[in-house]
Every structure is written in structure tokens, then in C-alpha cells.
Amino acid sequence: DIQMTQSPSTLSASVGDRVTITCRASQSINNWLAWYQQKPGKAPTLLIYKASNLQSGVPSRFSGSGSGTEFALTISSLQPDDFATYYCQQYSNYPYTFGQGTKLEIK
Amino acid sequence: QVQLQRWGAGLLKPSETLSLTCAVYGGTFSGYYWTWIRQPRGKGLEWIGEINHSGSTNYNPSLKSRVTISVDTSKNQFSLKLRSVTAADTAVYYCARFVVRGVIGMDVWGQGTTVTVSS
């Protein structure tokens, strides 16, 4: 299985901050990576697909980058609605695997 | 607007079979992989497996010996069966749609069903 490692596990930030979450794959996954946002008690929602493509309806303050084994999700200016847990997921090889999650907290 | 609605038993005893169904409303059934994911309380996401409209499946090897995913295209439904459950299978179970065209990922999710395994 491909291991996905996110960092940090927890991130404390303020409204208006620019934040970056990284995701590393244990082997190359080209650009077959998605980012999801999950709020407590809710299903995840798709933010970014194929590493850098913004899903329809997602605010442009979210962006994704990377290829191969190193990826990043950046939020350019944090809004109150962005405090949530974020997961990366590879869909290069079966079984599809997720990172352990990054909880974005209000500082 | 595509919606996924799921149902199934929420409380099981060890060794029983978990059975969940997800119905797809408001969209086509073909051209996607229909997926099951689970999340133990307070933990991360685990991909269980997927099926397309033709019945082609892919499973997580960690669960493959106990899992069956099936599809009923006449009802636009897909189902999950997980045999011989233990407390380790206690989790919220989600159904989701994986977009094959453009390889977008899972763009529509159901609300999640809490399944508890306890004697």
C-alpha cells in the first residue's frame, strides 16, 4: 500500500493567515492526489483533484500543488469557515489511501 | 443535484454481517465508481472498495476476505456487506461517488451511517 503522510497533524492559525499543509507519498503517484475538507459530524468534501485542480464551487483561496511524492494544500487567507480537518488521498494505486489528517484550529 | 442516501443496521453483534445500501438520486449511474469508505470515531478515513455499473469491483486487501460490494442498476443502488464483524469494524460508513471521467476523485458523499459492533 502507498503510505500518505501529512504534516503537521495540527495547525493553529488565525483568520487571514496563509497556511500550507503538506502531504508526502511513499512512492510516486504522479498527480493522482485529492484534498478533502471534513467538519465535525459531516462527510468530507472534495476541494482539489489531480493535485492542483480546484473542484467546482470551491473558493479560489484554496490551491494545490506538487507531483510525484510531495504535495501541498495552501489556503491563501483563512476564513472562519475553513477551520476543519483536511485529508489528502492518493488514487494512483489500489488500495486508495488517505493521509492521517491535519486539524486546522483557531489560534 | 446528485444525492446519495444510505441505510442499514447500525448495531451489530460480533460475528454478524454488516449490510448497508446506498441509493443514487438525481444523476446517472454509469461512468462512475461507487465507493465505500469508513472512519472510526476520532480517526482517519479508510477506503473499503468500489464498484461500477457493470459490477467491476476493487477492494482493500485488508478487508477483501470479508467484503462484498454489489450493484443493482435497476434501482440505482449499491451495497456493502462485511462479514464476521468485530469491535474493530465500529465506524462511520460513507458511500461516495468517484468520478472516472477526468479522474476527479470522490465528489459526492452520503451523510454517513454509524455502525457499532458490541456484544
Side-chain angles (χ1 to χ4, degrees):
Chain A
D1 297 7
I2 296 177
Q3 304 302 315
M4 305 299 293
T5 304
Q6 288 181 233
S7 61
S9 295
T10 306
L11 180 56
S12 296
S14 301
V15 172
D17 284 353
R18 177 185 179 92
V19 299
T20 297
I21 299 167
T22 62
C23 179
R24 175 176 294 175
S26 60
Q27 66 187 73
S28 177
I29 57 171
N30 294 307
N31 66 341
W32 302 119
L33 183 105
W35 288 96
Y36 298 89
Q37 178 193 69
Q38 187 179 33
K39 296 181 179 178
K42 301 293 186 180
T45 59
L46 178 64
L47 300 174
I48 301 286
Y49 63 94
K50 282 195 286 189
S52 61
N53 292 271
L54 194 67
Q55 171 66 351
S56 175
V58 174
S60 59
R61 62 181 180 272
F62 291 91
S63 63
S65 63
S67 66
T69 61
E70 301 282 343
F71 301 89
L73 172 70
T74 298
I75 310 172
S76 61
S77 178
L78 274 174
Q79 299 302 302
D81 192 49
D82 299 338
F83 293 95
T85 300
Y86 293 83
Y87 293 93
C88 62
Q89 182 216 5
Q90 67 81 19
Y91 47 93
S92 172
N93 287 27
Y94 290 116
Y96 296 160
T97 48
F98 294 86
Q100 81 279 13
T102 295
K103 186 174 182 180
L104 182 50
E105 298 180 330
I106 300 175
K107 185 184 287 184
Chain B
Q1 186 80 354
V2 177
Q3 290 188 335
L4 304 182
Q5 293 188 5
R6 76 288 169 265
W7 62 88
L11 181 60
L12 298 170
K13 290 181 167 50
S15 80
E16 292 184 334
T17 296
L18 179 158
S19 183
L20 298 174
T21 296
C22 191
V24 180
Y25 297 102
T28 61
F29 205 66
S30 61
Y32 303 97
Y33 265 94
W34 302 95
T35 305
W36 291 97
I37 302 104
R38 70 180 183 178
Q39 184 173 37
R41 184 182 179 90
K43 296 190 177 181
L45 299 159
E46 180 180 30
W47 182 85
I48 298 171
E50 63 182 11
I51 191 167
N52 68 4
H53 71 285
S54 301
S56 177
T57 55
N58 294 293
Y59 296 128
N60 193 321
S62 67
L63 298 168
K64 188 174 184 176
S65 64
R66 297 193 291 132
V67 169
T68 300
I69 298 176
S70 58
V71 66
D72 184 340
T73 54
S74 67
K75 297 180 180 178
N76 277 14
Q77 294 177 359
F78 61 107
S79 298
L80 170 70
K81 289 191 185 301
L82 180 64
R83 297 174 290 278
S84 304
V85 297
T86 69
D89 296 310
T90 294
V92 175
Y93 285 74
Y94 295 101
C95 54
R97 182 180 81 170
F98 183 92
V99 183
V100 177
R101 185 168 185 162
V103 199
I104 288 179
M106 291 178 284
D107 70 331
V108 178
W109 293 62
Q111 281 189 316
T113 299
T114 299
V115 174
T116 302
V117 180
S118 175
S119 56

